[in-house]
Amino acid sequence: MSSISKVWIIDFGSQYTQLIARRVREMSVYSEIVPPTVTARAAVDQSVKALILAGGPASVYADAAPQLSPDFFELDLPILGICYGLQLIAAHFGARVHSDHHREYGPSQIKVKDKNILFDGIERQTQVWMSHGDHVDSLPDGFEIIAMSNNGAPAALTHKTRRIMGLQFHPEVEHTPEGGKILSNFLFKIANLQPDWTPGLFIEQTIEEIRQRTGQDQVLMALSGGVDSSVMGVIINRAIGRRCIPVFINHGLLRQTEQAQVVTQLKEQMGLPIRSYNYSGRFLKALKGVSDPERKRKIIGREFIKAFEEIAAKYPRVKFLAQGTLYPDVIESRSVHGPSQVIKSHHNVGGLPKRMNLKLIEPFSCLFKDEVRKIGRELELPENILMRHPFPGPGLGVRILGEITPRRLDLLRRADAIYIEELRESGYYNRVWQAFAILIPVKTVGVMGDKRTYESVLALRAVNSSDGMTADWSRLPGTLLSRIANRIVNEVRGINRVVYDITSKPPATIEWE
């Protein structure tokens, strides 16, 4: 992707790093999150056009604080530092940075001092979101202050002759109302980038890259029927035609009637020659007695690879395995972007074995889900496929808390089917990002037909999101929730209590495991 405007976002551990990437992508500029260990030479080799130094929890003067190679400041690259990024720039150019007596967290007002391109079109007094415990105590060599905070500390600095600048506040969050305009000014008026990150360009370049990489070899495509794998299947099919082998594996953790629905959908609506395999017995045997969620994910990842390698052995020219892995899966699983922590092991990222017989093709590993949907629309995929709710690779395995048993799978399948059916009939299915049921390893006392019951608790989850990195709980009508709960308790023997999850991400994740 060297022909497009590429921005590197250096991750120093901020909770907002991924949000910066989202904001840049929304402006049709390609961005990548990279660790602070990257080199200036790599930036040149990959034709990076601008750098954004993200925030982080460390203090630049601390012994173990993450640093950036000084070589970056020798390049003629536009650089924008945010929070820790600003302090890193200031320290490099000789300024003092120290801990504040009065820390700034939350909304604040700043005053833009002088006319500057970074604040072009922005009021001289504007609201921003602060989140820092350190501040720049002296002016770096060659810099000038272009905005001040209410407490008299520099809120924005810029180099007098070079395209290097920094913000003490976070422009990427919604609580900085004009933050998008500030980022836009940096990208287009200072870095002079082009908004060339488009679905059409991605499709064109991805098809060419797949053709070049695979040569005359065959590719085993892991299809689940979800948005990501379905769009991926169409792209790879366009790229190499009959050399792609679409495979659907039933791991025994699917929802009710899912295998039949997916296979019909992929064959009839999309024309993909899907091959279906049932490995449910093997998966469930490997998961027997396992309750820890990370162990579940790793077991499922291992069993998937074993199954795919067995299938691939039937086709001597298969050298690659294609998966619909997304950028959030990579971000939350690998912790490759600096000091950020691993949130969970995604089954086809952190759950993969270190050694595999197949090489991976993951065309969407740099994309967020809403970007995949845009690409799907460019490919003219049906809306019922594009708007399908996300379903995790480990399936119901991470929606059954505790041990997975045939009995518990049956309970969850029946309850989840009622939930989704009611959402579709009420028109709310397409109004939420993702909805599903979770079986909790807790029993409660109830009364039905004048008799005491002691049965399982079921939780319902529905969230709104654009990319899965953050999410808010969906405000479903009380009458709808009441109808769903009544149906589940009356129709699914073994469940006598239904609760609704009203926690956002963060602090929770979307899935419970």
Side-chain angles (χ1 to χ4, degrees):
M1 298 181 185
S2 58
S3 63
I4 63 173
S5 299
K6 180 188 292 187
V7 175
W8 267 6
I9 299 167
I10 314 293
D11 176 24
F12 295 100
S14 171
Q15 60 181 316
Y16 300 130
T17 300
Q18 292 83 20
L19 192 53
I20 300 172
R22 290 289 306 127
R23 295 292 176 255
V24 174
R25 297 272 189 100
E26 287 167 0
M27 298 178 192
S28 298
V29 174
Y30 180 68
S31 64
E32 280 184 5
I33 299 173
V34 297
T37 53
V38 293
T39 65
R41 179 72 258 170
V44 173
D45 292 343
Q46 295 187 36
S47 301
V48 174
K49 303 296 195 299
L51 294 179
I52 296 178
L53 311 185
S59 296
V60 295
Y61 50 78
D63 291 339
Q67 300 295 324
L68 185 68
S69 170
D71 294 344
F72 278 100
F73 296 106
E74 303 304 318
L75 302 176
D76 186 27
L77 278 179
I79 300 176
L80 175 64
I82 296 174
C83 200
Y84 182 88
L86 161 68
Q87 296 159 16
L88 202 64
I89 292 171
H92 173 80
F93 284 93
R96 295 189 305 272
V97 178
H98 72 81
S99 178
D100 287 335
H101 294 296
H102 301 288
R103 299 183 177 187
E104 288 187 296
Y105 294 100
S108 180
Q109 292 288 321
I110 66 167
K111 185 176 181 180
V112 179
K113 292 187 65 176
D114 300 302
K115 189 69 174 177
N116 183 276
I117 298 176
L118 190 62
F119 289 100
D120 190 25
I122 293 170
E123 297 293 327
R124 292 183 65 86
Q125 188 86 13
T126 185
Q127 178 181 310
V128 300
W129 183 263
M130 295 284 189
S131 180
H132 66 97
D134 296 344
H135 78 268
V136 178
D137 194 40
S138 63
L139 198 61
D141 294 338
F143 281 75
E144 60 182 339
I145 297 172
I146 56 175
M148 297 287 291
S149 66
N150 282 342
N151 66 3
L157 301 173
T158 186
H159 197 280
K160 294 177 181 178
T161 60
R162 301 180 61 188
R163 295 179 295 174
I164 301 176
M165 55 211 65
L167 305 171
Q168 186 59 77
F169 57 91
H170 289 272
E172 68 274 18
V173 302
E174 293 180 358
H175 307 292
T176 301
E178 296 189 287
K181 192 177 293 184
I182 294 171
L183 289 173
S184 176
N185 287 339
F186 172 73
L187 295 173
F188 302 123
K189 296 183 178 182
I190 294 171
N192 298 315
L193 304 183
Q194 297 298 316
D196 50 15
W197 176 241
T198 64
L201 178 65
F202 177 86
I203 293 168
E204 178 184 325
Q205 292 188 337
T206 301
I207 286 176
E208 182 58 30
E209 288 171 4
I210 290 171
R211 285 173 178 167
Q212 289 184 4
R213 187 180 176 197
T214 59
Q216 294 304 309
D217 293 325
Q218 291 179 310
V219 177
L220 202 65
M221 289 197 304
L223 297 186
S224 68
V227 178
D228 315 319
S229 70
S230 297
V231 177
M232 176 198 70
V234 171
I235 287 182
I236 296 181
N237 191 52
R238 286 194 182 185
I240 60 175
R242 294 183 178 180
R243 285 193 291 115
C244 71
I245 302 171
V247 169
F248 177 87
I249 288 181
N250 180 353
H251 54 8
L253 304 167
L254 300 174
R255 291 168 292 193
Q256 194 163 281
T257 70
E258 185 153 26
Q259 179 172 358
Q261 291 175 3
V262 168
V263 171
T264 299
Q265 172 182 286
L266 293 174
K267 277 186 176 180
E268 296 182 3
Q269 286 192 268
M270 299 171 56
L272 295 176
I274 187 79
R275 295 163 172 84
S276 181
Y277 296 86
N278 189 345
Y279 279 82
S280 57
R282 180 185 297 181
F283 277 81
L284 295 181
K285 182 179 179 180
L287 290 165
K288 187 175 181 179
V290 178
S291 297
D292 179 74
E294 281 295 280
R295 281 195 63 203
K296 288 182 188 177
R297 289 177 177 274
K298 292 183 181 299
I299 288 170
I300 292 169
R302 182 193 70 207
E303 292 300 322
F304 260 125
I305 293 304
K306 286 169 62 178
F308 284 125
E309 289 182 339
E310 283 184 14
I311 296 168
K314 302 175 182 179
Y315 304 91
R317 288 169 51 209
V318 166
K319 304 297 182 185
F320 297 90
L321 171 65
Q323 299 186 130
T325 307
L326 296 184
Y327 206 14
D329 302 329
V330 176
I331 291 169
E332 293 190 340
S333 295
R334 286 182 176 159
S335 186
V336 296
H337 313 297
S340 299
Q341 292 191 354
V342 171
I343 306 300
K344 61 188 176 184
S345 295
H346 190 267
H347 83 287
N348 59 351
V349 182
L352 295 182
K354 292 182 179 180
R355 292 185 179 180
M356 291 172 47
N357 296 326
L358 300 173
K359 300 174 185 176
L360 283 179
I361 292 179
E362 298 174 312
F364 299 156
S365 61
C366 64
L367 300 183
F368 294 92
K369 187 173 287 288
D370 59 319
E371 292 175 315
V372 174
R373 285 194 168 114
K374 290 177 183 177
I375 290 166
R377 290 191 177 95
E378 184 80 10
L379 293 166
E380 299 183 342
L381 266 69
E383 280 297 309
N384 68 308
I385 293 176
L386 295 179
M387 296 310 296
R388 190 170 187 250
H389 288 187
F391 185 61
L396 301 183
V398 291
R399 292 178 179 175
I400 292 178
L401 275 59
E403 184 180 1
I404 301 166
T405 67
R407 165 66 174 160
R408 302 188 77 206
L409 278 167
D410 179 63
L411 284 179
L412 183 56
R413 283 193 181 106
R414 291 160 59 200
D416 187 78
I418 291 171
Y419 183 25
I420 300 303
E421 179 186 317
E422 288 291 340
L423 287 178
R424 289 188 185 280
E425 290 186 359
S426 65
Y428 272 88
Y429 182 85
N430 285 340
R431 298 188 198 180
V432 300
W433 158 270
Q434 188 174 6
F436 54 93
I438 310 102
L439 192 62
I440 306 172
V442 171
K443 290 188 175 183
T444 64
V445 174
V447 56
M448 300 178 70
D450 296 327
K451 292 182 180 180
R452 179 185 184 274
T453 62
Y454 191 59
E455 297 176 337
S456 296
V457 179
L458 184 87
L460 302 179
R461 181 82 158 136
V463 297
N464 292 325
S465 180
S466 61
D467 51 38
M469 294 303 301
T470 61
D472 192 19
W473 63 279
S474 302
R475 273 66 172 177
L476 297 180
T479 53
L480 174 59
L481 289 172
S482 176
R483 186 164 65 247
I484 293 168
N486 286 337
R487 279 197 60 191
I488 290 171
V489 170
N490 287 326
E491 297 177 30
V492 184
R493 174 166 292 198
I495 296 173
N496 69 354
R497 191 178 299 270
V498 176
V499 298
Y500 188 57
D501 183 353
I502 60 169
T503 319
S504 297
K505 176 186 179 181
T509 52
I510 295 177
E511 298 285 345
W512 279 37
E513 286 194 339

